[in-house]
């Protein structure tokens, strides 16, 4: 049976987040420079988006560049930034054809002016698309996001727009860069590393985690489906007992 037919269309993850890792190692394996690996990651992005669209996942969030990645050699950082500009331009017809709305999270003001402009243009051009929201995490760090949220909430308290007592999970959620997105259901990390690397710490509180040894440039549609099948075979209990979950399923 092919893997796509194993997917239960009534239990599709709404929001899938991906830590696209292993580009450098992929390139090294073939004796190439790291940037060659980054370039070859684009096909994996395309296939993941197609796979998500096919099964009805509404949101895909990709970790493209972290706040810590600024510490890489300047040559690599510069190459990544120009690759971002090129890829965004190149993929625009695909975003339009597949009704993909592009969104971005992170300390975006740190991006080079050119990249920021192309990014904002694409966000604007695709803003009425609605089949899938693609969120690019750029200069993103979850701790930075939380610091930013705390600052903005504090300003509102100082200005008497909200009281300290009113601060709850909802308010914090609404001040994160991801305010418009649902919680992450499934987090995928490629390349065999099993860590979060400062990605969506708040938003993955109850996500199912899927780690695969596949290096990002080799990640294909079926690898995405494999992660979804594994996700569907997990029992998401959200703190309840297995019996409670079974009773709930019986009622549906
Ligand atoms: C992920 O691949 C892409 C970015 C972090 C930009 P890496 O560049 O981290 O590849 P490895 O982990 O060194 O193989
Ligand atoms: C995480 O990968 C960031 C992105 C995929 C953009 P890294 O390769 O930077 O993470 P670490 O350093 O191995 O934790
Ligand atoms: Mg890496």
């Amino acid at each position: 049976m092919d893997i796509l037919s194993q997917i239960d269309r009534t239990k599709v993850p709404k929001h899938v987040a991906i830590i696209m890792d292993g580009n450098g190692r992929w390139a090294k394996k073939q004796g190439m420079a790291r940037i060659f690996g980054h370039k070859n990651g684009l096909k994996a992005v395309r296939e993941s988006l197609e796979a998500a669209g096919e099964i009805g996942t509404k949101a895909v969030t990709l970790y493209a560049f972290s706040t810590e990645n600024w510490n890489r050699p300047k040559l690599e950082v510069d190459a990544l930034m120009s690759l971002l500009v090129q890829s965004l331009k190149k993929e625009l017809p695909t975003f339009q054809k597949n009704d993909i709305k592009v969104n971005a999270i992170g300390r975006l003001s740190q991006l080079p002016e050119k990249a920021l402009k192309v990014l904002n243009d694409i966000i604007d051009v695709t803003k009425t698309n609605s089949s899938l929201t693609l969120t690019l995490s750029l200069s993103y760090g979850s701790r930075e996001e939380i610091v930013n949220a705390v600052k903005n909430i504090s300003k509102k308290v100082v200005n008497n727009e909200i009281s300290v007592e009113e601060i709850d999970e909802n308010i914090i959620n609404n001040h994160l860069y991801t305010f418009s997105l649902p919680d992450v259901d499934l987090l995928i990390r490629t390349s065999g590393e099993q860590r979060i690397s400062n990605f969506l710490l708040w938003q993955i509180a109850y996500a199912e985690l899927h780690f695969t040894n596949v290096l990002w440039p080799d990640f294909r549609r079926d690898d995405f489906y494999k992660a979804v099948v594994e996700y569907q075979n997990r029992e998401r209990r959200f703190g309840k007992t297995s019996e409670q979950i079974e009773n709930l399923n019986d009622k549906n």
Side-chain angles (χ1 to χ4, degrees):
M1 196 162 68
D2 86 325
I3 183 113
L4 179 58
S5 56
Q6 291 174 40
I7 291 175
D8 175 351
R9 302 299 179 110
T10 67
K11 285 199 307 192
V12 164
K14 286 193 195 69
H15 185 182
V16 177
I18 310 180
I19 303 176
M20 312 185 284
D21 198 15
N23 297 352
R25 278 163 282 169
W26 186 89
K28 197 174 175 191
K29 266 191 1 190
Q30 10 219 329
M32 302 295 281
R34 295 177 56 84
I35 190 67
F36 184 67
H38 298 312
K39 280 188 185 139
N40 279 277
L42 198 59
K43 188 160 174 42
V45 171
R46 219 176 282 141
E47 292 225 1
S48 301
L49 292 175
E50 279 167 14
E54 168 68 37
I55 61 169
T57 288
K58 298 298 287 179
V60 172
T61 299
L62 301 178
Y63 206 4
F65 193 88
S66 72
T67 45
E68 289 75 21
N69 289 149
W70 289 113
N71 300 321
R72 291 192 177 191
K74 186 174 181 316
L75 205 68
E76 181 168 347
V77 171
D78 290 349
L80 278 166
M81 290 301 147
S82 45
L83 186 63
L84 171 68
V85 172
Q86 278 171 34
S87 314
L88 282 171
K89 285 185 181 164
K90 190 166 162 206
E91 294 307 303
L92 181 60
T94 319
F95 296 147
Q96 297 298 47
K97 188 175 120 231
N98 298 319
D99 197 29
I100 296 173
K101 174 181 173 153
V102 178
N103 177 31
I105 57 173
R107 207 198 286 144
L108 303 177
S109 58
Q110 251 194 317
L111 295 175
E113 215 174 307
K114 177 93 186 290
L116 192 57
K117 170 146 190 354
V118 175
L119 183 65
N120 281 332
D121 286 350
I122 291 202
I123 290 173
D124 191 50
V125 179
T126 61
K127 67 174 181 236
T128 56
N129 293 348
S130 61
S131 292
L132 192 151
T133 300
L134 163 65
T135 301
L136 300 171
S137 314
L138 293 163
S139 189
Y140 176 88
S142 194
R143 289 184 169 182
E144 191 279 325
E145 176 183 40
I146 292 169
V147 169
N148 180 66
V150 170
K151 280 185 182 158
N152 288 331
I153 295 170
S154 305
K155 281 180 200 156
K156 289 186 183 172
V157 171
V158 170
N159 294 333
N160 292 319
E161 287 169 50
I162 50 173
S163 69
V164 169
E165 286 66 37
E166 270 176 294
I167 299 173
D168 60 7
E169 293 186 11
N170 246 332
I171 289 194
I172 293 180
N173 214 32
N174 291 338
H175 287 80
L176 297 174
Y177 298 136
T178 51
F179 66 91
S180 61
L181 294 167
D183 274 353
V184 175
D185 295 308
L186 169 63
L187 172 74
I188 300 171
R189 182 170 190 151
T190 58
S191 88
E193 307 300 350
Q194 304 195 355
R195 56 177 170 263
I196 303 301
S197 303
N198 201 12
F199 193 41
L200 304 174
L201 300 178
W202 171 279
Q203 300 85 340
I204 60 166
Y206 259 109
E208 295 298 328
L209 311 181
H210 174 88
F211 298 105
T212 169
N213 288 329
V214 174
L215 302 174
W216 181 249
D218 289 330
F219 194 83
R220 291 292 171 268
R221 194 185 281 266
D222 279 1
D223 296 303
F224 186 93
Y225 294 145
K226 214 186 284 175
V228 172
V229 169
E230 187 187 291
Y231 162 87
Q232 293 188 331
N233 287 329
R234 306 255 183 97
E235 183 178 60
R236 302 186 80 190
R237 291 192 284 278
F238 296 99
K240 293 184 180 161
T241 67
S242 209
E243 290 72 21
Q244 285 175 296
I245 303 295
E246 276 156 25
N247 286 340
L248 213 82
N249 288 342
D250 291 347
K251 278 184 202 128
N252 288 337

